Amino acid sequence: MSPALIVVLAAFAVALAVVILLLVARARRPDIPEPGRQLEAPPARPPEFAEEAGKRDAAAPPVTAAPPVAAAPPVAAAPPVAAAPPVAAGPEPAEEGEPTAPLAEPEQKVPTGVEVAEPPFPEEAEKPPRMRDRLGKARGLLAGYLGSVAGRSKLDEETWEELEEALIRADVGVATTTGMLESLRDRAKQDKIRDPQSLTVALAEEMRSSFGGTSRELAVGAVAGGTGVTPPTLWLFVGVNGVGKTTTIGKLAMREVQAGRSVVMAAGDTFRAAAAEQLELWAQRTGADIVRGAEGSDPGAVVFDAVQRAVSRGADLVLADTAGRLHTKVNLMEELKKIRRVADRTDATVTEVLLVVDATTGQNGMIQAKQFAGAVGVTGIVLTKLDGTAKGGIALAIEKELGIPIKLVGLGEGPADLVPFDPAEFVDAILAG
């Protein structure tokens, strides 16, 4: 079969299929007219249908007219509006040069149920925390070693070595640890201590006795002889940057203000950016006065001006911040010596030079204490961040090797977390199981 014939047959089959589809569609929809056919008009209604419709229309009752709508009653006239009372004339303008009385401010009413916030100052004194609650890290380090020592069956040389390792790891220091263990060995021989449990009890007593009975109160100046006038007391704060020196001053200011003393702050750390701004925030918070100088100005002059202001205003206490660059720089120590000389020449009484040490630095704190003690005559230590370290033994090392009492410790970030140092409470806190 030729290709041309195949094409013709295919076309014929397609045309035939189209015709069949059209016929099927017309059979399903008879109302669809064929192409070219006109739609027929609907057949006319037979005459009998028209006659019946006319009879029905004649039998229907006539439509009655709607009743008339009653007229609405007349609207009563509104009563006449009373005339507003005449507005009182305001005061005549004052003539030139005549003072005018200030207008009273309108009273502001507070909505019912809305609490009015009190000003942030004065803040209520918070309850100081317990050392046992805050020295968990230091206690955790020693508890493991002391638990191992107490679990031994006898007191042998291995027990002493384990006890030595525990104290050194707690940053008590090699020299302090050696001296403490020698004293403990003598006591064990004298008291005939044979079991490790009794040794841990003796260790606690040895730690308490190592702190000594030094006074830990912050000294306040006495009345000048023959004058009856109490000059302001001056406390100097020294220490490297980052140990919490400025924050310590702010917390102490709050404590002293709450105790009823008037305080003047001296922003003497003029070389650290934002140091004066930080101290000024504490002054606003506590209600203390503050004296600050330009950035990079002479710190000694700031301390001198602060004392002069305290004298003129009858303030009780001057808290002086100082520079805190690296303690290895000789110029810093010379600068601190100059500040101390200026402070001694003022009308204030310098009763405290407090070295602020970060407890988390461990033995580095001991190095700082030695440097500052030789330069300005440190009278007390403020050990900050003691709650954040397991190296609480630095407290033993500082007092044993330097003989400088720890007067305050920081146990947190709140103002009430700066507390007086209690050696017995401290030992119980780090050794309690």
Side-chain angles (χ1 to χ4, degrees):
M1 185 179 293
S2 64
L5 183 58
I6 294 174
V7 172
V8 172
L9 291 176
F12 177 76
V14 171
L16 182 60
V18 172
V19 172
I20 293 172
L21 291 175
L22 290 176
L23 292 176
V24 171
R26 195 163 69 95
R28 292 183 178 179
R29 298 287 303 275
D31 55 335
I32 299 177
E34 297 180 1
R37 179 181 174 184
Q38 297 293 331
L39 294 177
E40 298 180 357
R45 177 180 289 186
E48 55 271 19
F49 287 173
E51 293 176 1
E52 292 179 2
K55 293 177 181 179
R56 288 195 301 268
D57 294 341
V63 179
T64 58
V69 180
V75 179
V81 179
V87 179
E92 296 183 359
E95 297 181 1
E96 185 177 358
E98 180 181 353
T100 58
L103 297 178
E105 297 184 358
E107 181 181 358
Q108 297 181 355
K109 297 183 178 179
V110 180
T112 305
V114 178
E115 296 182 359
V116 180
E118 296 293 335
F121 177 80
E123 297 185 7
E124 295 183 1
E126 300 177 3
K127 185 178 179 180
R130 298 190 311 165
M131 289 190 184
R132 183 184 178 90
D133 298 334
R134 299 295 179 89
L135 299 185
K137 291 185 177 180
R139 181 170 60 251
L141 186 145
L142 287 173
Y145 284 97
L146 296 181
S148 177
V149 169
R152 291 180 174 274
S153 59
K154 61 180 180 178
L155 185 58
D156 53 11
E157 192 60 32
E158 290 183 2
T159 305
W160 289 103
E161 291 178 359
E162 191 167 4
L163 191 58
E164 180 182 12
E165 182 181 358
L167 295 175
I168 291 177
R169 282 184 174 273
D171 238 337
V172 175
V174 176
T176 305
T177 298
T178 302
M180 187 177 297
L181 290 181
E182 289 178 356
S183 177
L184 197 58
R185 283 177 182 269
D186 295 339
R187 181 180 237 177
K189 292 178 181 179
Q190 183 179 354
D191 298 343
K192 298 181 180 180
I193 297 176
R194 297 290 183 267
D195 60 289
Q197 292 81 5
S198 300
L199 181 63
T200 57
V201 175
L203 174 64
E205 295 176 356
E206 187 67 27
M207 284 184 172
R208 294 189 192 96
S209 63
S210 66
F211 283 106
T214 309
S215 174
R216 302 181 188 277
E217 295 291 331
L218 295 176
V220 180
V223 177
T227 63
V229 178
T230 303
T233 298
L234 175 59
W235 294 347
L236 288 175
F237 293 81
V238 298
V240 299
N241 288 343
V243 296
K245 181 160 43 73
T246 306
T247 303
T248 298
I249 295 174
K251 293 179 179 180
L252 260 182
M254 179 171 290
R255 191 185 80 172
E256 296 301 318
V257 169
Q258 290 173 348
R261 293 189 177 96
S262 53
V263 177
V264 176
M265 297 181 180
D269 189 358
T270 60
F271 299 103
R272 181 171 69 89
E277 286 79 4
Q278 182 183 358
L279 202 61
E280 189 165 10
L281 290 176
W282 275 107
Q284 295 172 2
R285 183 177 180 183
T286 60
D289 199 355
I290 184 171
V291 174
R292 54 180 295 183
E295 185 173 349
S297 61
D298 183 11
V302 175
V303 174
F304 182 85
D305 291 342
V307 172
Q308 293 301 108
R309 179 174 297 185
V311 171
S312 64
R313 298 188 179 184
D316 302 313
L317 187 61
V318 178
L319 306 180
D321 195 4
T322 60
R325 290 172 296 180
L326 293 179
H327 61 279
T328 53
K329 294 184 178 180
V330 177
N331 57 353
L332 173 60
M333 296 303 151
E334 293 300 323
E335 193 172 81
L336 293 177
K337 291 178 182 178
K338 175 186 174 183
I339 295 175
R340 179 60 195 267
R341 290 194 300 268
V342 171
D344 289 335
R345 293 171 186 170
T346 63
D347 295 329
T349 304
V350 182
T351 60
E352 296 286 356
V353 179
L354 299 173
L355 171 63
V356 184
V357 178
D358 183 352
T360 62
T361 60
Q363 288 298 311
N364 278 337
M366 175 66 68
I367 299 174
Q368 296 171 19
K370 291 178 179 178
Q371 293 282 345
F372 282 96
V376 292
V378 175
T379 61
I381 303 291
V382 180
L383 200 58
T384 62
K385 308 176 187 178
L386 191 59
D387 60 314
T389 180
K391 301 178 179 181
I394 187 62
L396 290 162
I398 289 177
E399 288 223 354
K400 194 72 174 178
E401 296 186 27
L402 299 181
I404 301 175
I406 298 175
K407 298 197 172 185
L408 298 167
V409 291
L411 302 178
E413 298 180 357
D417 295 332
L418 184 67
V419 300
F421 181 66
D422 185 341
E425 185 184 359
F426 171 74
V427 174
D428 292 341
I430 64 174
L431 295 183

